[in-house]
Amino acid sequence: MVNKWWHDKIVYQIYPKSFKDSNGDGVGDINGIIEKLDYLKDLGVDILWLTPFFTSPMVDNGYDVADFCDINPLFGTMEDMDKLLEETKKRDMYIMIDIVANHTSSEHRWFKEALKGKDNPFRDYYIFKDKPCNDHQSCFGGSAWEYVPSLNEYYFHEFAIEQPDLNWDNPKVREEIANAINFWMEKGVKGIRFDVIHHIGKEIENDIYGYGPKLHERVQELYRNSYGNYDIVTVGEAWGNLEQAKDFTLPERKELDMVFQFECTSYTNDHSRHGKFTPRPIDMKFVKDTLSKYQYGLNDCSWNALMVENHDLGRCINRFGDENFRVESSKAIATMNFLLKGTPYIYQGQEIGMMNIKMDKLEDYRDVEVYGKYDDLVKTGLLTHEEFMDGAYKEARDNNRIPVQWDDSKNAGFTTGDTPWIKVHPNYVDINVEKESKDPSSILNFYKKLLSLRKHSEYSPTFVYGKFDSYLDDSTDVFVYSRTDNNYSLGVITNMTNKNVEVELPFKYSKVLLSNYKKDYFSNKLLLEPFESFVVEIK
Ligand code: ISL
């Protein structure tokens, strides 16, 4: 594989609405991001993935785009965005944008035109039918078909009613999206995350939503007509399996550089019951096997995205770790994941070990999905209110959308205003950036060490390009792997459980490079503490 400028870079995901508010209106903004650039540089991240900051009525917090080439006034102005691009460049940092190609907002000019009449040229930008083709359900609850009385027709929306799906059969739509991407490429953006990109080949008449027959030719066309002409990095949000990941990312296909793998994070969705709002406990053996499967499966032919948290998932401590071992498990999850081969993605607040929030009442939630699913599950009697609230505590997307905890002042230092748009976690007094930056044993300082080991040590090339091998594959408790090149062989050992585990390592080592407990590691038979994780140079 050809080496790329981004292979050794770390991505940090910013959800602008919740990151930092600079003007006291209770909503995070672009100037808030600029304020924190030095913090992010010091943390050791390079590429900032911003979830959509384009003009939007914010039904789905920006994933309902009303203008792909303008800035949501809630977040600032185009001048602010230009300044952010300039300030990141000064610090050798890069911006990755989030392109929502599957749908727009119902407030987009194209959709408003489409509603004007059956012969309006924009009508064919969307998917209108005389009657629903099927009873497909929207991802956020309820039917995926919405009736428009003035047209006496229905339009299709995979997500909220206010997010009509674009008609990718229409070449004009494909051209418009390519043009929007080119607009941002010319501004110097260096990365794109593609939202639900596996949906753009859908064939509704045949009940095919993800991975339709025309998917890949469309991505290839987009590549040729837009981002393929620039030296950028791309990642797809594509819910699928290993083979499907290969189809997107083999370099000769000229589609995407990598896709996120959701097999691990969605393990808790219990589809034998009601999906994510009736979660089941995680199986860490499954997680370890899946991570290894993707390492062996993609490492020689393409590239992995290493992600345990994003704005749609709960916190990784709650999913893979243990609140009672918050510090240990958070460090262990990071070590185990971010030293694999691929690009690490850190979600805002993950680096200080932020946790899921227990909302007192339904009305504390802001996410459109929570209300859609409440109607589907509680109003129909499938779940009690309490069962739903319990599921939401574990899985609601708002868990990761509460404000970043900067310090122990009012509203966690997120806003100087009285009312943030969503609740602040009450634990912010103890868990915040300021406090952790002063504590040498904090999660934050561990992240800095981990990223620096990966990026700025003599071992960096081995962590970036070294071959992956796993050991003790039958163990349900420990994940042991190595990364090897001509210079070094490095071992990563993690107890994935909240109990003591005895382990006999299959290799000897000469140095311990990083660990989340302080102890003597020089014995081959070790009794690992809960969520103990350490990194060694193998002899
Ligand atoms: O979290 C989910 C719903 O339970 C996911 O299925 C999610 O909707 C899916 O990952 C698609 O996510 C992306 O597109 C959505 C947007 O709401 C998400 O925030 C985004 O990441 C629609 O644009």
Side-chain angles (χ1 to χ4, degrees):
M1 255 194 87
V2 185
N3 291 4
K4 296 281 180 60
W5 66 268
W6 48 265
H7 276 163
D8 64 347
K9 304 286 183 271
I10 314 286
V11 182
Y12 184 92
Q13 185 191 349
I14 294 182
Y15 199 68
K17 200 174 180 186
S18 311
F19 187 67
K20 176 74 176 80
D21 174 19
S22 72
N23 62 1
D25 66 356
V27 177
D29 46 44
I30 297 168
N31 283 325
I33 300 173
I34 297 174
E35 267 177 40
K36 297 295 179 187
L37 285 180
D38 289 335
Y39 163 73
L40 295 171
K41 181 75 192 170
D42 185 48
L43 172 62
V45 300
D46 309 280
I47 302 176
L48 307 180
W49 154 23
L50 311 187
T51 59
F53 48 77
F54 317 107
T55 317
S56 164
M58 300 296 273
V59 170
D60 189 19
N61 285 339
Y63 283 94
D64 45 329
V65 179
D67 184 344
F68 289 101
C69 299
D70 209 350
I71 309 288
N72 187 339
L74 255 187
F75 297 142
T77 61
M78 193 57 91
E79 286 69 46
D80 297 335
M81 185 48 71
D82 289 339
K83 179 147 185 251
L84 176 62
L85 282 160
E86 209 181 289
E87 291 295 322
T88 44
K89 204 166 174 195
K90 274 189 204 159
R91 293 166 175 84
D92 291 324
M93 294 168 91
Y94 311 88
I95 295 291
M96 172 184 271
I97 56 170
D98 202 324
I99 290 291
V100 190
N102 178 66
H103 45 269
T104 69
S105 159
S106 51
E107 292 296 308
H108 197 292
R109 184 176 64 85
W110 305 336
F111 193 71
K112 288 197 203 159
E113 285 291 323
L115 290 184
K116 286 186 179 162
K118 289 193 179 173
D119 45 9
N120 189 293
F122 288 96
R123 185 173 159 281
D124 199 34
Y125 273 40
Y126 296 91
I127 303 165
F128 284 95
K129 302 276 178 207
D130 292 341
K131 53 180 188 342
C133 302
N134 48 44
D135 62 356
H136 189 66
Q137 296 296 294
S138 144
C139 180
F140 295 156
S143 167
W145 294 96
E146 182 68 9
Y147 181 60
V148 183
S150 61
L151 296 174
N152 191 23
E153 284 187 326
Y154 294 78
Y155 69 85
F156 180 81
H157 59 93
E158 181 67 50
F159 296 93
I161 293 170
E162 298 85 349
Q163 289 168 300
D165 277 45
L166 284 165
N167 172 18
W168 272 76
D169 290 335
N170 182 347
K172 282 295 289 169
V173 165
R174 307 203 293 270
E175 194 186 318
E176 298 266 19
I177 298 293
N179 289 345
I181 291 174
N182 285 329
F183 172 85
W184 288 104
M185 295 294 95
E186 287 299 313
K187 276 198 169 284
V189 156
K190 292 292 279 180
I192 304 179
R193 178 259 190 193
F194 282 99
D195 192 57
V196 286
I197 194 68
H198 57 303
H199 278 285
I200 65 167
K202 69 176 81 62
E203 284 188 357
I204 290 177
E205 298 76 7
N206 299 322
D207 238 358
I208 301 175
Y209 303 96
Y211 298 95
K214 295 216 171 96
L215 170 65
H216 292 290
E217 72 185 61
R218 287 179 182 169
V219 179
Q220 286 161 9
E221 181 188 76
L222 204 54
Y223 176 99
R224 282 196 305 276
N225 293 339
S226 62
Y227 59 92
N229 303 313
Y230 298 81
D231 188 13
I232 69 152
V233 53
T234 53
V235 56
E237 187 206 22
W239 292 68
N241 58 34
L242 177 61
E243 288 314 309
Q244 289 166 326
K246 277 191 193 160
D247 290 343
F248 270 121
T249 63
L250 295 181
E252 60 274 20
R253 293 178 62 97
K254 297 190 185 312
E255 297 190 28
L256 301 173
D257 291 315
M258 55 191 138
V259 295
F260 292 118
Q261 177 267 105
F262 291 102
E263 288 184 42
C264 292
T265 53
S266 61
Y267 180 86
T268 48
N269 293 1
D270 188 349
H271 293 295
S272 65
R273 296 190 66 213
H274 307 292
K276 70 187 266 188
F277 287 91
T278 49
R280 59 178 175 166
I282 194 79
D283 175 349
M284 290 307 286
K285 171 76 163 70
F286 173 86
V287 170
K288 144 181 157 160
D289 291 347
T290 307
L291 291 173
S292 295
K293 178 177 79 181
Y294 277 80
Q295 290 288 301
Y296 285 124
L298 293 183
N299 277 349
D300 290 336
C301 54
S302 72
W303 198 255
N304 268 292
L306 311 171
M307 179 275 297
V308 286
E309 271 191 32
N310 70 20
H311 63 293
D312 292 334
L313 304 164
R315 291 289 177 181
C316 69
I317 294 170
N318 296 79
R319 183 180 308 278
F320 301 111
D322 186 331
E323 283 197 19
N324 299 316
F325 294 95
R326 187 183 74 87
V327 174
E328 295 80 1
S329 65
S330 148
K331 292 176 182 175
I333 295 164
T335 309
M336 170 176 129
N337 280 282
F338 294 154
L339 295 180
L340 292 168
K341 187 167 175 185
T343 298
Y345 286 74
I346 299 171
Y347 180 72
Q348 61 183 37
Q350 184 183 333
E351 76 277 19
I352 56 166
M354 281 180 62
M355 303 210 288
N356 286 3
I357 182 167
K358 213 159 226 153
M359 298 292 195
D360 299 328
K361 45 189 192 309
L362 187 68
E363 296 71 40
D364 289 336
Y365 285 103
R366 295 287 173 266
D367 187 6
V368 59
E369 181 191 44
V370 165
Y371 293 96
K373 289 292 181 189
Y374 192 87
D375 287 353
D376 275 5
L377 297 172
V378 183
K379 294 204 175 150
T380 54
L382 289 170
L383 292 183
T384 65
H385 173 81
E386 287 67 32
E387 282 168 329
F388 183 86
M389 290 298 280
D390 188 51
Y393 166 56
K394 295 186 179 115
E395 294 288 341
R397 308 193 298 179
D398 281 340
N399 281 305
N400 274 34
R401 298 175 179 187
I402 58 172
V404 171
Q405 295 159 206
W406 294 105
D407 56 41
D408 63 4
S409 68
K410 190 178 156 201
N411 291 325
F414 163 69
T415 177
T416 52
D418 288 334
T419 328
W421 71 276
I422 188 169
K423 272 196 158 178
V424 172
H425 202 299
N427 69 14
Y428 79 86
V429 184
D430 296 315
I431 300 171
N432 61 64
V433 170
E434 191 183 27
K435 192 165 174 197
E436 293 207 15
S437 57
K438 291 180 189 148
D439 171 6
S441 63
S442 67
I443 299 171
L444 178 60
N445 279 314
F446 187 86
Y447 262 73
K448 285 190 199 172
K449 278 187 231 153
L450 176 66
L451 298 188
S452 151
L453 177 68
R454 192 186 157 109
K455 279 179 51 186
H456 300 298
S457 71
E458 60 188 292
Y459 307 105
S460 302
T462 319
F463 283 125
V464 177
Y465 293 111
K467 174 171 164 284
F468 167 91
D469 285 292
S470 64
Y471 307 87
L472 308 181
D473 290 343
D474 292 337
S475 167
T476 50
D477 300 332
V478 291
F479 187 15
V480 180
Y481 66 84
S482 64
R483 304 291 314 283
T484 308
D485 64 7
N486 292 336
N487 295 319
Y488 295 106
S489 186
L490 308 170
V492 181
I493 302 104
T494 305
N495 175 4
M496 306 179 296
T497 75
N498 60 5
K499 48 187 201 296
N500 291 323
V501 173
E502 206 171 273
V503 61
E504 193 154 351
L505 291 178
F507 45 68
K508 294 207 177 348
Y509 46 90
S510 53
K511 262 191 209 167
V512 176
L513 309 178
L514 184 73
S515 64
N516 65 348
Y517 280 80
K518 294 218 173 341
K519 64 196 245 192
D520 175 19
Y521 285 99
F522 288 90
S523 138
N524 264 29
K525 200 164 195 172
L526 289 166
L527 184 66
L528 298 180
E529 311 280 337
F531 295 104
E532 182 160 1
S533 186
F534 64 107
V535 185
V536 298
E537 186 181 327
I538 297 173
K539 266 197 217 165

